[in-house]
Amino acid sequence: MATEPSNAAIAGGADSPEPWSARVRTLTRLGRHREALAFLRHGDPSPPPHALALPAAVISCAKLYLASGVAQIHALAAKRGLLPSSDAYLLSALLSSYSRLRLLPLAHQLLDELPLASTAPATARTAFNSLISGCALHGLPAVGCFSLFRRMRVAAGVRFDAVTLLTLVPVAPLGVVPQLHALAARSGLAANTSVANCFMSVYARGGGADLARQVFEEMPRASRDLVSWNAVISAHAQNGLAVEALELYRRMRGPEGGGVEPDAVTLVGVLSSCAHTGARRVGLDVERYVRERIPGFRNNLPLCNALINFHARCGSLPEAHELFDEMPERSIVSWTALIIGYGMHGQGDVAVDLFEMMVSEATAPDNVAMVGLLSACSHAGMYDEGRKYFSTMERDYCLQPKLEHYTCMVDLLGRAGRLDEARELIASMPMAADGAVWGALLGACKIHRNVEMGEEAFKRVINLEPTNVGYYVLMANIYTDAGQLDGVAKVRAMMRQRGLKKEPGCSYVEHKGKVHLFMADDHSHPEAKRIYELVVKLERMVKEKTGGGDDVAEERSEKEEAEAAAPLVGFHSEKLAVAFGLLNTEAGSEIVVIKNLRVCGGCHSFLKTVSALTNRAFLVRDASRFHRFEDGACSCRDYW
DNA sequence: GAACACTAGG
């Protein structure tokens, strides 16, 4: 009968070189705590004093929540004279075990007995670190950790080390992190790679991507490891700085990375950033890397979810769904990513079906899933379903509607033209509406040309977010559509006065591994001349086909009419990007355009007609959703 | 020692 070597070593035999106390330690390390304790009980009780066995046994007792076992060993060790300070391992095992068992008085008693004058500094340091990390790891109040830290430095005069910081910093209240950082810098420990990495991730969690970045940039290149890159990339990805995250990833892969290979954690951050910016090429490269180089990625939930999210948001819904179907195990995040994806493609019915399927598989929706579902209903004009889910979320799923759900509902009602209902919903909110809620109402007023309510929403929203340019632009457009030029001038003056500039629209197309970026009226592309010629030609063809614009006149605002009358102004970026695509790709292939702002009404009807004229399909991702133009129609059915 | 999904709008 074959015996596994490790078992043989543990079981021990006449020929085993491992003393029994070392075997106890091995069993503890393997998590076989009951066996370890059984071994201790039946082992040779004679001296030497079990230097390895007793600390291991303490840990095994703590893992099994056997407080009496810890106490017994404690007593035994005291009798043998191993405590308080002659066995540093035992001391730290007892301290961390007492904190695990929440027997803090016993831990403090042990620490109080420590004769600091005659204890080696390293032992004292380990003792404090054990108790601090025990308190931190087991969710005991951070205050306790900090008073211990203070006692360690001030009362006991013991120097802290990197381990102290690595346990303390993650549980520190955000406000004191900079102070700890300064302390770390003064003691020279801030240069330690793990310590720097730790500060980066803590800053990131508190929204301080800039601080994490600063730590990273100040690290010498040679001391940056994979974790450093992961921490700084994730810091930006988590805080919505997708462009910066991708730039950091580029640096990591270049000479600056010094050959550090990304792992699953890196790629999760990168994929999330690709999903947000629409960086399809980078994301597809990452996907290939994942499939080739990350063995078992299908069992890595965050990684699979990040891939699903990437495909769903970058125009490959079928790929997203396929990955979802192939997952051995799914989480609420997997469902939510797919629901949001279908919502963005205007397929609210599929999003609702997925949601119901998720619920029927006993996955309870959370706030984020509800946001995804409600916004899917909103984009598909599913007024009744949206209302139903919103009104039952508390009863059916124990979820209290939060600001973001009200935002979705105001958007849903407003988009459907029920502005008064939307306004009433805001008035009925149990909390004060924030900028997003009023902004959604403002957006609805733009769609339905309601100057009066728009003015109210605008007043509210700029009170809450005075520097958010988008709202000024929306209000200006409402006035423009209504022909109230004095209103436009007023808003423009406010913007000027506050130093706000409209963010320019830009679109890009990927072609042969290169990104081709276009701004409105932008002539910097090498093929600009041909592109503009094509746009002008297409505009002429569109005008002919649509009978001089008669049948689209209803959809056009006066501003857009003005643009149509003078086609040489207002070359919106999506027109240029589509023209580039038409010039550079063969018939039959889909042209994918990613845009930072919403498609305007003029470009929307232009692209519909051009899709019919050229017999091509265009997939355009704008600020919040996809439009697929084909055969003269758009997948949004002109509801967006 | 680091990870996935979050509304609206320009």
Side-chain angles (χ1 to χ4, degrees):
Chain A
M1 202 173 104
T3 312
E4 280 179 39
S6 62
N7 281 340
I10 290 157
D15 54 342
S16 167
E18 197 178 29
W20 73 268
S21 64
R23 266 172 249 149
V24 175
R25 185 185 59 172
T26 307
L27 286 166
T28 296
R29 284 201 178 150
L30 290 170
R32 294 158 68 171
H33 304 299
R34 295 195 178 280
E35 292 165 69
L37 294 180
F39 218 94
L40 179 76
R41 224 169 282 134
H42 304 122
D44 178 357
S46 62
H50 322 307
L52 299 171
L54 292 185
V58 167
I59 290 165
S60 280
C61 288
K63 294 263 160 120
L64 297 166
Y65 292 97
L66 294 170
S68 60
V70 178
Q72 273 179 40
I73 300 171
H74 188 161
L76 174 74
K79 209 158 47 181
R80 296 250 173 98
L82 300 172
L83 289 173
S85 69
S86 76
D87 187 332
Y89 282 108
L90 185 57
L91 183 62
S92 65
L94 283 169
L95 288 167
S96 55
S97 296
Y98 282 137
S99 50
R100 182 185 184 84
L101 297 165
R102 308 197 169 243
L103 299 169
L104 287 184
L106 292 175
H108 277 104
Q109 199 182 328
L110 192 54
L111 205 56
D112 291 340
E113 290 166 4
L114 201 64
L116 288 166
S118 62
T119 301
T123 303
R125 182 154 45 240
T126 311
F128 275 103
N129 283 349
S130 302
L131 191 51
I132 292 173
S133 79
C135 292
L137 280 173
H138 303 118
L140 298 165
V143 202
C145 300
F146 278 88
S147 61
L148 275 165
F149 182 54
R150 189 179 165 74
R151 180 172 158 200
M152 175 184 190
R153 292 162 51 225
V154 181
V158 175
R159 286 173 59 140
F160 60 93
D161 63 1
V163 177
T164 324
L165 291 173
L166 293 174
T167 58
L168 210 50
V169 173
V171 298
L174 287 179
V176 306
V177 174
Q179 293 168 47
L180 283 171
H181 202 169
L183 196 61
R186 278 202 297 280
S187 61
L189 293 167
N192 176 300
T193 299
S194 299
V195 171
N197 294 346
C198 177
F199 276 109
M200 280 195 270
S201 60
V202 170
Y203 282 136
R205 227 181 301 142
D210 50 336
L211 294 170
R213 177 60 163 266
Q214 200 182 331
V215 173
F216 180 81
E217 300 296 356
E218 284 169 5
M219 287 174 87
R221 269 190 202 198
S223 63
R224 290 178 190 155
D225 63 5
L226 174 61
V227 178
S228 318
W229 285 103
N230 286 352
V232 75
I233 289 172
S234 306
H236 290 82
Q238 282 165 26
N239 289 289
L241 302 167
V243 174
E244 290 80 356
L246 292 179
E247 171 60 17
L248 283 159
Y249 178 61
R250 213 184 48 78
R251 280 171 59 187
M252 177 185 175
R253 300 314 308 272
E256 208 185 332
V260 179
E261 285 291 311
D263 69 354
V265 177
T266 327
L267 302 176
V268 164
V270 174
L271 283 168
S272 157
S273 302
C274 291
H276 280 103
T277 54
R280 298 180 89 227
R281 188 182 57 82
V282 182
L284 292 172
D285 286 347
V286 169
E287 185 184 27
R288 184 153 18 92
Y289 187 98
V290 167
R291 290 181 186 275
E292 287 170 7
R293 308 276 293 273
I294 309 282
F297 78 92
R298 286 183 192 282
N299 295 312
N300 187 323
L301 210 44
L303 185 54
C304 287
N305 292 341
L307 280 170
I308 291 173
N309 183 44
F310 163 71
H311 279 304
R313 301 187 78 112
C314 289
S316 314
L317 213 38
E319 269 92 326
H321 209 133
E322 195 179 321
L323 274 160
F324 178 86
D325 285 338
E326 291 164 352
M327 285 174 89
E329 211 181 318
R330 296 188 265 264
S331 71
I332 177 93
V333 177
S334 329
W335 290 96
T336 305
L338 205 55
I339 288 170
I340 290 170
Y342 278 99
M344 284 180 75
H345 284 78
Q347 303 189 40
D349 48 344
V350 183
V352 167
D353 289 347
L354 279 166
F355 180 85
E356 289 298 341
M357 217 187 299
M358 174 183 87
V359 172
S360 72
E361 290 189 11
T363 298
D366 62 5
N367 284 323
V368 184
M370 290 309 305
V371 167
L373 178 70
L374 293 176
S375 84
C377 290
S378 178
H379 283 300
M382 294 165 63
Y383 170 84
D384 294 321
E385 286 87 343
R387 280 199 58 139
K388 182 190 97 184
Y389 283 112
F390 178 74
S391 64
T392 58
M393 61 187 273
E394 190 152 11
R395 190 194 68 204
D396 291 353
Y397 311 115
C398 301
L399 297 170
Q400 281 185 357
K402 305 210 311 177
L403 281 168
E404 50 272 39
H405 304 111
Y406 282 101
T407 304
C408 291
M409 285 311 292
V410 169
D411 180 59
L412 178 116
L413 299 172
R415 216 182 274 280
R418 304 177 183 246
L419 290 175
D420 290 325
E421 216 175 311
R423 181 66 190 82
E424 281 161 26
L425 181 68
I426 297 179
S428 77
M429 287 170 58
M431 70 287 262
D434 68 352
V437 174
W438 288 111
L441 187 68
L442 185 62
C445 292
K446 158 77 171 65
I447 296 173
H448 297 288
R449 307 188 170 205
N450 188 319
V451 179
E452 199 185 329
M453 197 181 290
E455 281 176 334
E456 190 206 353
F458 179 66
K459 221 179 279 171
R460 304 272 198 167
V461 83
I462 59 164
N463 244 325
L464 295 159
E465 292 180 35
T467 60
N468 193 326
V469 199
Y471 301 133
Y472 296 86
V473 178
L474 264 178
M475 191 66 228
N477 288 345
I478 292 175
Y479 282 132
T480 306
D481 289 348
Q484 297 189 17
L485 298 182
D486 51 335
V488 181
K490 203 170 64 191
V491 176
R492 294 244 169 93
M494 286 174 83
M495 289 174 70
R496 237 191 337 273
Q497 199 187 342
R498 302 179 183 196
L500 302 172
K501 270 218 158 66
K502 182 183 163 177
E503 183 185 319
C506 68
S507 299
Y508 57 82
V509 174
E510 290 178 353
H511 179 59
K512 292 190 174 162
K514 264 196 75 179
V515 173
H516 298 263
L517 179 76
F518 300 91
M519 318 282 282
D521 302 320
D522 165 19
H523 284 76
S524 64
H525 194 276
E527 293 177 47
K529 193 161 174 289
R530 289 176 63 210
I531 293 169
Y532 276 79
E533 281 167 6
L534 180 57
V535 174
V536 170
K537 189 173 137 201
L538 289 170
E539 278 179 340
R540 203 166 43 234
M541 287 167 70
V542 167
K543 217 175 246 176
E544 281 162 16
K545 169 135 180 155
T546 57
D550 278 348
D551 67 346
V552 289
E554 285 175 11
E555 309 176 7
R556 285 206 183 143
S557 66
E558 291 177 30
K559 181 184 157 212
E560 288 151 10
E561 290 285 9
E563 277 170 10
L568 287 178
V569 293
F571 281 92
H572 282 171
S573 60
E574 55 270 52
K575 286 186 184 173
L576 302 176
V578 164
F580 169 84
L582 286 169
L583 288 169
N584 289 283
T585 57
E586 65 269 15
S589 62
E590 186 180 74
I591 294 169
V592 182
V593 176
I594 311 282
K595 186 174 187 214
N596 65 336
L597 306 178
R598 257 170 66 115
V599 183
C600 76
C603 286
H604 196 265
S605 49
F606 173 81
L607 291 176
K608 278 197 296 185
T609 311
V610 172
S611 73
L613 286 170
T614 58
N615 200 20
R616 294 290 293 269
F618 317 126
L619 186 61
V620 181
R621 189 185 99 166
D622 76 3
S624 61
R625 62 164 299 150
F626 281 96
H627 297 264
R628 191 160 192 283
F629 300 95
E630 194 172 19
D631 296 332
C634 178
S635 61
C636 76
R637 291 193 230 99
D638 301 333
Y639 186 89
W640 93 103

